[in-house]
Amino acid sequence: MNQKQILILGIGNVLWADEGFGVRCVELLNQHYAFDENVRIMDGGTQGIYLVQHVQEADVLVVFDAIDYGLAPGTLKTIYNDEVPKFMGAKQMSLHQTGFQEVLAMAEFTGNYPADLLLVGCQPVELEDFGGSLRDEVKAQVQPAIDIALEYLQQFGVNVQRSNGRTQALAPGQLNLSDYEQGRPDEEAACRTGDSRVIGAPAASGSSK
């Protein structure tokens, strides 16, 4: 059978609050849905250029990500095909890697580029919270984002079934949403703005400048 190869990709950094939206989408998708072998679910995290080979292999690419559309926090917006790179060029996937716009450009340059693309993006509430989790408005959009992707994939004859959750995790267990949230120290135990021992402390006498 000449089945289309489909890649469902979540990108972002779970350590920075709503920046983890895309990863949480594929995490939930992997836990509760089962697909045929031509569909691959991948936690792209902040892998940057290392995602090129996976994009090259896909006929259909679905991407979940936190995107600053300038809309109300928690708003979902879908972007298709040639419009997708325009919305993914403002942000790097890490300080040392490229952005996903460049990943797409590299795949296109080699001539191996998905024929069909869907970006399901969510307007973040908060990104500047290291160790924080999704804000409620964004967390509430994870399942609706998945529903949008599943409806989109119907046109490609994708066979999807609800699973019992007994699947191989996409990432280490401690990064699972529930474990991650429960394991976070409170603000008193882990200062969010810096080392509480030195913040606001006067400079030591005789210190060099």
Side-chain angles (χ1 to χ4, degrees):
M1 294 180 63
N2 187 24
Q3 289 182 310
K4 289 182 179 294
Q5 297 303 305
I6 296 170
L7 176 62
I8 305 175
L9 182 65
I11 58 178
N13 191 333
V14 297
L15 298 179
W16 289 101
D18 292 331
E19 175 65 21
F21 171 76
V23 174
R24 296 310 182 192
C25 286
V26 293
E27 176 186 289
L28 187 66
L29 193 66
N30 182 64
Q31 290 172 345
H32 298 292
Y33 297 88
F35 298 88
D36 290 336
E37 292 184 357
N38 65 308
V39 179
R40 182 181 181 190
I41 304 172
M42 184 176 180
D43 174 356
T46 59
Q47 294 184 55
I49 194 172
Y50 298 106
L51 294 174
V52 172
Q53 60 180 323
H54 304 291
V55 171
Q56 289 173 322
E57 295 169 355
D59 299 308
V60 180
L61 175 63
V62 175
V63 181
F64 297 102
D65 195 11
I67 302 289
D68 185 2
Y69 294 114
L71 301 173
T75 301
L76 285 178
K77 185 178 177 65
T78 55
I79 306 296
Y80 298 89
N81 299 324
D82 293 344
E83 296 296 309
V84 170
K86 299 177 184 178
F87 288 86
M88 309 201 76
K91 140 186 109 166
Q92 290 186 337
M93 298 178 74
S94 81
L95 293 176
H96 304 291
Q97 295 175 334
T98 187
F100 198 71
Q101 185 184 57
E102 284 73 30
V103 171
L104 294 175
M106 290 182 210
E108 185 174 28
F109 180 76
T110 64
N112 297 310
Y113 190 77
D116 297 279
L117 283 79
L118 167 64
L119 166 63
V120 184
C122 184
Q123 178 73 37
V125 175
E126 178 61 64
L127 299 176
E128 301 299 323
D129 182 15
F130 183 69
S133 190
L134 301 183
R135 296 308 191 254
D136 289 343
E137 299 94 324
V138 173
K139 187 186 294 186
Q141 295 290 13
V142 170
Q143 185 62 55
I146 289 173
D147 293 340
I148 289 171
L150 294 179
E151 183 178 358
Y152 172 77
L153 291 174
Q154 287 180 0
Q155 66 184 293
F156 303 105
V158 170
N159 180 32
V160 58
Q161 297 179 345
R162 295 286 298 195
S163 72
N164 58 13
R166 296 179 181 177
T167 58
Q168 183 176 354
L170 298 176
Q174 60 266 35
L175 293 180
N176 178 275
L177 180 59
S178 59
D179 293 335
Y180 178 77
E181 291 183 335
Q182 292 172 12
R184 188 188 197 200
D186 59 29
E187 293 193 19
E188 196 171 309
C191 180
R192 301 283 178 250
T193 56
D195 192 329
S196 58
R197 296 169 296 179
V198 298
I199 292 177
S205 176
S207 62
S208 59
K209 297 183 178 180

